[in-house]
Amino acid sequence: MPLIRTLQQDLHTLLEKEDVHWRQRAKADWVKLGDRNTKFFHASANQRCRNDFIHKITDEEGQTLEEPEAIALERQITLAMNKELLKEFTMDEVSQALNQMAP
């Protein structure tokens, strides 16, 4: 019986984790009310992804562009910014970030 109880607790924990995963992915306020209908949350997340995808765009000259290479945006991060982002962080920076976090 202890094995069954342990397995039930493990299952419950995994279901909770899955529920949280899909709630976060769905990015919907009403998810806070919640149930464990992960199929619903999965569908919501996939719908958001489909809505966010750019299928075509019209340029300044009025031409419709549909190829992914033509639609791609220019990079927004400069080489200097990238260098700054890639440098190693210090213990002071980590400490400062942790102290700024909510409990």
Side-chain angles (χ1 to χ4, degrees):
M1 284 298 189
L3 178 61
I4 292 174
R5 190 170 301 242
T6 302
L7 291 174
Q8 286 175 334
Q9 289 174 344
D10 290 347
L11 178 61
H12 178 71
T13 302
L14 290 172
L15 288 173
E16 286 292 324
K17 286 182 179 181
E18 182 182 33
D19 188 39
V20 168
H21 169 77
W22 289 113
R23 284 174 188 245
Q24 290 172 344
R25 184 144 183 236
K27 292 185 181 179
D29 292 335
W30 40 259
V31 173
K32 293 176 187 172
L33 303 175
D35 63 355
R36 290 195 175 174
N37 191 352
T38 57
K39 183 177 179 183
F40 173 75
F41 297 126
H42 182 69
S44 297
N46 285 337
Q47 183 62 41
R48 180 179 172 86
C49 184
R50 282 191 292 274
N51 288 344
D52 290 348
F53 186 78
I54 298 174
H55 297 278
K56 60 183 176 179
I57 193 168
T58 305
D59 67 8
E60 296 142 352
E61 298 170 4
Q63 294 179 329
T64 301
L65 308 172
E66 297 183 29
E67 297 297 320
E69 297 81 20
I71 295 174
L73 300 174
E74 292 181 28
R75 292 185 181 196
Q76 299 295 314
I77 297 178
T78 65
L79 291 175
M81 292 166 71
N82 193 44
K83 183 179 178 183
E84 187 69 23
L85 290 169
L86 291 176
K87 75 178 188 180
E88 291 193 32
F89 48 85
T90 66
M91 288 302 292
D92 289 337
E93 291 172 323
V94 172
S95 178
Q96 183 180 6
L98 289 173
N99 290 332
Q100 292 175 355
M101 294 173 61

